Amino acid sequence: MCYAIPGRITGIKDNIVSVEYFGEQKKARNEFFDLKIGDYAYAQGGFIIQKISEREALPVLESWKELFFKLQEIDSQLIQKDPKTLYQRANNLRQKYHGNSCCTHGIIEFSNYCGMDCFYCGIRKSNSKLARYRMSLDEILEAARFAVHKLRFKALVLQSGEDPWYDEEKLVYLVKKIRQDSPSLIILSLGERDFGLYERLYKEGARSVLLRFETANLDLYAQLRPGRELKNRVELIGKLHKLGYLVMTGFLIGLPGEKEEDIKKNIELTNALAADMFSFGPFIPHPDTPLANTPLVHTETVLNTIANARVLNPKAQILVNTSFETLDRANALRSGLMAGANSLMINVTPRKYQRFYDIYPERAGVEEDVEMRIENIVKLLRSIGRAPTDLGL
Ligand code: 5AD
């Protein structure tokens, strides 16, 4: 459930509420607000994240009303009645299970310090060429405020390298303050930190975790992630899911020596981890890493992965990630969304830091004006009948 159009509460049973959007009923978990039937609220990823007054809700609903149905119609027109290709089949499943809603999350990359030395990653600790930055807590809060109040995002990813400088006290403060000042679904992407820390942040109101297992291939994992074991990562992801976090996980496509069978296993592991959102993307070699000379994967391999993931799990959210947009600047978003994907992320890191979060070179969107970028993405989404539901209007 990912509509960020305000919904009207039509039913309440314990902490599960029914929310109505232009006649469509969805369900969401309400853990934080005092809601009664007839109230208006925003939901994200299946959680109520903000209660709003009728006075605020009605004009937004009014501005969406006509567009909401028009977009659905455009989407339906692009659906093949008799799907022949894998992409068409995947697109039909996407529409059947998710309608035309496209979750658009904002991502704040707040530190490029990393204690890990992953062979594929440009911010690995041995990369001494990279200038490092840490955003102060105030800067992060300001970036969150801008994303939520100015750009109207309803879901925020807080991402960094594995950087213990942000200890429990700092992270608790951040989650608390963001919940107070910038109501949104808070998605933590902090790497393999202690389960106890994640437990504490869940208590403070964080409700989602983005943590990829990177590869299900044991040999590759051991080679490329020195000092870490796949087993521990997978275990942590499982425990986070059990605790109640919405889990976003996935893998890299095209690591050296990877076979088609590996991609299949990666999709299967993502699914076995009960991922609410699949997050995977092409590996893009970084010149200052040991994998600098790995050939790029083909666009079709990425599209096939999206479509196969959709066929395996019609209900999951599937992301077109930024590395795919980097691999195929002109077409990735559109073609990914037409091959089964239904979600994307937009970089809302303050511009002066963006280029230092150099996990791979020449990332799409870096240092573009974020408002222009949103405008262009919304235009593209509208052209294929998708409702960019986190951005509001
Ligand atoms: N190309 C693409 N994605 C990468 N990541 C790290 N390095 C690269 C690269 N060279 C991904 C990892 C990590 C996420 C934050 O970035 O999958 O989980």
Side-chain angles (χ1 to χ4, degrees):
M1 222 262 340
C2 224
Y3 277 120
I5 299 167
R8 204 169 62 89
I9 308 299
T10 55
I12 301 176
K13 191 162 188 293
D14 303 324
N15 69 355
I16 303 293
V17 294
S18 304
V19 196
E20 190 235 12
Y21 302 92
F22 300 116
E24 233 177 89
Q25 294 286 339
K26 307 238 177 182
K27 294 244 187 291
R29 252 154 81 186
N30 173 39
E31 299 172 29
F32 306 117
F33 303 95
D34 181 21
L35 288 178
K36 52 185 187 327
I37 290 178
D39 281 346
Y40 287 87
Y42 281 110
Q44 267 303 281
F47 294 96
I48 299 290
I49 52 138
Q50 187 181 12
K51 175 179 169 180
I52 61 167
S53 68
E54 185 173 21
R55 196 170 50 84
E56 284 171 284
L58 291 182
V60 184
L61 284 171
E62 190 52 39
S63 62
W64 262 104
K65 201 166 141 193
E66 207 177 312
L67 188 62
F68 186 80
F69 294 107
K70 198 173 118 205
L71 291 175
Q72 281 185 342
E73 204 182 299
I74 298 173
D75 180 36
S76 296
Q77 281 164 3
L78 290 171
I79 287 285
Q80 302 294 325
K81 299 281 166 303
D82 178 23
K84 294 199 174 63
T85 67
L86 170 65
Y87 301 163
Q88 290 171 354
R89 285 208 308 280
N91 190 36
N92 283 18
L93 286 169
R94 184 272 312 158
Q95 201 226 19
K96 181 167 171 200
Y97 288 91
H98 296 278
N100 69 334
S101 104
C102 180
C103 313
T104 43
H105 303 167
I107 177 163
I108 302 171
E109 298 152 345
F110 62 88
S111 162
N112 70 352
Y113 279 86
C114 191
M116 287 290 292
D117 219 9
C118 307
F119 278 37
Y120 45 79
C121 185
I123 69 168
R124 66 200 303 264
K125 77 168 175 221
S126 303
N127 182 6
S128 54
K129 286 196 186 162
L130 181 66
R132 304 281 170 168
Y133 72 92
R134 281 189 179 114
M135 284 170 64
S136 71
L137 303 188
D138 279 345
E139 283 177 306
I140 300 172
L141 293 174
E142 188 47 42
R145 258 181 241 124
F146 181 73
V148 169
H149 296 286
K150 182 86 192 341
L151 305 174
R152 299 181 178 276
F153 282 96
K154 301 280 183 245
L156 288 183
V157 182
L158 300 178
Q159 187 171 91
S160 65
E162 270 183 33
D163 184 0
W165 187 83
Y166 298 88
D167 57 11
E168 181 164 312
E169 191 190 335
K170 292 191 179 80
L171 291 168
V172 163
Y173 173 77
L174 274 179
V175 168
K176 261 197 179 134
K177 284 293 270 183
I178 292 177
R179 286 210 42 231
Q180 264 169 25
D181 301 350
S182 308
S184 51
L185 176 70
I186 300 174
I187 305 162
L188 303 170
S189 185
L190 313 169
E192 220 170 304
R193 305 285 301 263
D194 284 346
F195 180 65
L197 172 68
Y198 279 113
E199 262 179 331
R200 182 68 207 281
L201 298 175
Y202 188 85
K203 266 202 200 112
E204 299 300 338
R207 280 294 175 274
S208 182
V209 165
L210 166 56
L211 184 64
R212 291 178 172 178
F213 56 83
E214 313 291 7
T215 173
N217 179 317
L218 276 172
D219 292 338
L220 268 180
Y221 197 96
Q223 266 172 43
L224 303 181
R225 310 201 73 231
R228 289 284 165 86
E229 279 183 59
L230 177 60
K231 179 169 81 48
N232 296 336
R233 188 126 171 144
V234 162
E235 215 173 272
L236 176 61
I237 297 169
K239 279 162 77 177
L240 295 171
H241 168 73
K242 229 169 141 192
L243 186 62
Y245 274 113
L246 207 76
V247 165
M248 308 182 173
T249 188
F251 50 89
L252 289 158
I253 308 171
L255 290 171
E258 207 175 66
K259 310 248 165 14
E260 216 171 296
E261 188 57 26
D262 288 308
I263 302 182
K264 189 163 172 262
K265 287 193 177 138
N266 284 335
I267 298 175
E268 283 165 3
L269 180 56
T270 313
N271 197 42
L273 285 167
D276 298 283
M277 181 182 280
F278 284 50
S279 163
F280 52 75
F283 162 59
I284 300 188
H286 189 293
D288 303 317
T289 62
L291 303 187
N293 297 321
T294 312
L296 277 174
V297 279
H298 296 290
T299 302
E300 294 70 41
T301 310
V302 182
L303 285 174
N304 289 343
T305 309
I306 291 176
N308 283 323
R310 172 60 68 210
V311 169
L312 183 67
N313 189 338
K315 290 190 177 163
Q317 312 286 343
I318 298 178
L319 187 76
V320 177
N321 89 322
T322 311
S323 74
F324 188 29
E325 289 181 65
T326 305
L327 184 73
D328 182 8
R329 274 168 207 269
N331 303 310
L333 261 185
R334 188 180 200 284
S335 54
L337 291 166
M338 293 304 288
N342 68 327
S343 178
L344 55 95
M345 282 193 192
I346 296 178
N347 195 342
V348 294
T349 309
R351 204 194 287 204
K352 66 175 176 186
Y353 293 122
Q354 287 183 5
R355 84 184 126 109
F356 300 108
Y357 201 77
D358 195 34
I359 44 185
Y360 50 86
E362 290 170 48
R363 293 188 303 148
V366 160
E367 294 185 5
E368 266 175 46
D369 179 78
V370 67
E371 284 166 273
M372 277 294 283
R373 184 158 169 79
I374 290 174
E375 203 180 304
N376 288 334
I377 288 177
V378 167
K379 236 186 249 162
L380 168 76
L381 292 177
R382 288 192 177 163
S383 75
I384 55 171
R386 305 294 170 89
T389 38
D390 299 23
L391 289 176
L393 275 186

